Amino acid sequence: MMNESAVIQADIALELIDLERYPIADLEQGAGAAFLKECQDQMEAHGWCNLDGFIRPDALVALTKESNELLPTAPTLTIKRNIYQGEVDLSAPKDDPRRKEYMHRAQQLADDQIPADTMLKQLYCSDLLTDFVRRVQQKPVLYRCADEFQALNVVALHPDSWHAWHYDTVECTVTLLLQAAESGGEFAFLPNSRTDTTEDHEAVRQLLAGDMSQAQMFTRGAGTFTLFRGGYSLHGVTKVEGTQPRITAILTYDENPNATLSDDVNVRIYGPRVEKILAGRANAAAET
């Protein structure tokens, strides 16, 4: 039996999502079951599922306004990392991606900066939406991320900014595009460039050298909800052009109910603000 909080969260999802096009409220039969099968087939065949217009137009206006009001509190971060999200490995061969850093600049709200009463946070916390994401991935269980910074993020790429090539720290990345760039800002990726045990090193090296011949790219409009196997496909966002930022919500899920990132990774992603928080905790713990 759902508790009252879960009902409220599910109601938010029912209000914001275009249920006529995307009937996630009943995936057991009829149109809902057929829609779910289409999503699952797309994930298996392509490694991604792209749902254009997932959010109703009036709800999208409200969500975008909400995010734009929060973004002035977000730091603009210069993020340097290798494509695997780890530290630079100077023992690796000279041309190995493990010893190279790729940089991008983004304005980024971490989960702890997004209030619980916002529509966006309530949408992320919807059991209905979480179960839909689980079913598309065909997972026996799936949980919202337990990391206090990573769980839900809002990222703004301003004109002349881009998102550097990388693999994600989770198997499947889930995003909601709240505001598209006027031009540019395309999502680009190298499909299935690695598995749990192997990687197409030659294709990765070619892409990192600027050869986009094996990459795929698709344009998404605001309101698009995307599931993407970002842990297995090298990906990034091309340079944003025009006058308005590209704003994306990133919703993180995991099969482990207690999944968190290391302090080191969180500091690399979120910068001085999070470094100060974590250092303060460490100092307080040392004093007790």
Side-chain angles (χ1 to χ4, degrees):
M1 180 176 178
M2 277 192 176
N3 61 32
E4 183 178 354
S5 175
V7 171
I8 292 172
Q9 292 164 355
D11 285 348
I12 288 292
L14 293 172
E15 292 172 9
L16 301 182
I17 295 167
D18 186 341
L19 296 175
E20 290 189 12
R21 293 181 64 185
Y22 303 114
I24 73 166
D26 183 4
L27 299 171
E28 296 292 338
Q29 58 190 343
F35 163 62
L36 176 61
K37 182 65 165 53
E38 288 179 12
C39 293
Q40 292 171 337
D41 290 347
Q42 287 182 33
M43 286 293 291
E44 289 188 358
H46 307 295
W48 54 268
C49 177
N50 216 34
L51 305 176
D52 180 59
F54 187 73
I55 300 297
R56 292 174 34 229
D58 57 331
L60 179 62
V61 170
L63 286 169
T64 305
K65 180 176 182 293
E66 187 176 72
S67 296
N68 273 303
E69 289 174 349
L70 287 172
L71 276 166
T73 67
T76 297
L77 302 171
T78 298
I79 298 173
K80 296 180 180 180
R81 58 187 176 190
N82 68 30
I83 65 174
Y84 308 106
Q85 305 270 20
E87 294 183 0
V88 171
D89 183 359
L90 296 177
S91 68
K94 186 175 181 180
D95 62 345
D96 192 299
R98 288 175 297 174
R99 69 175 296 161
K100 296 182 179 179
E101 285 186 320
Y102 298 88
M103 182 178 73
H104 69 264
R105 286 175 60 82
Q107 196 176 15
Q108 188 155 339
L109 285 163
D111 186 83
D112 67 318
Q113 296 174 293
I114 304 173
D117 61 355
T118 58
M119 288 183 295
L120 185 60
K121 180 63 73 71
Q122 291 181 55
L123 178 64
Y124 173 60
C125 290
S126 164
D127 291 336
L128 187 67
L129 184 63
T130 301
D131 191 57
F132 169 64
V133 172
R134 178 191 68 81
R135 286 171 177 246
V136 173
Q137 296 185 57
Q138 302 187 62
K139 300 291 187 182
V141 294
L142 196 68
Y143 303 92
R144 293 179 286 274
C145 179
D147 192 281
E148 63 182 308
F149 307 115
Q150 180 79 9
L152 174 65
N153 283 197
V154 175
V155 178
L157 291 176
H158 291 270
D160 295 324
S161 295
W162 62 90
H163 206 301
W165 298 113
H166 64 287
Y167 291 106
D168 291 327
T169 56
V170 293
E171 175 187 341
C172 185
T173 307
V174 181
T175 67
L176 173 61
L177 185 62
L178 296 170
Q179 181 172 286
E182 291 178 359
S183 62
E186 307 288 1
F187 183 76
F189 61 101
L190 191 61
N192 301 314
S193 53
R194 73 172 180 177
T195 67
D196 287 331
T197 57
T198 63
E199 184 177 41
D200 188 342
H201 296 293
E202 184 56 31
V204 167
R205 286 193 179 94
Q206 288 179 11
L207 183 65
L208 296 176
D211 181 354
M212 298 281 288
S213 60
Q214 296 188 60
Q216 293 185 13
M217 190 179 303
F218 51 73
T219 300
R220 297 183 299 161
T224 300
F225 191 74
T226 301
L227 294 89
F228 169 69
R229 295 186 76 237
Y232 295 98
S233 296
L234 189 64
H235 59 284
V237 177
T238 64
K239 183 184 290 187
V240 171
E241 300 173 358
T243 60
Q244 72 178 20
R246 176 190 189 271
I247 303 175
T248 307
I250 303 173
L251 299 77
T252 303
Y253 303 88
D254 202 283
E255 293 173 82
N256 176 359
N258 302 309
T260 59
L261 274 70
S262 69
D263 288 353
D264 179 64
V265 171
N266 273 330
V267 169
R268 282 204 302 274
I269 293 174
Y270 300 106
R273 184 186 73 87
V274 167
E275 184 176 25
K276 183 178 180 181
I277 290 172
L278 296 174
R281 289 178 186 168
N283 291 336
E287 292 173 358
T288 59

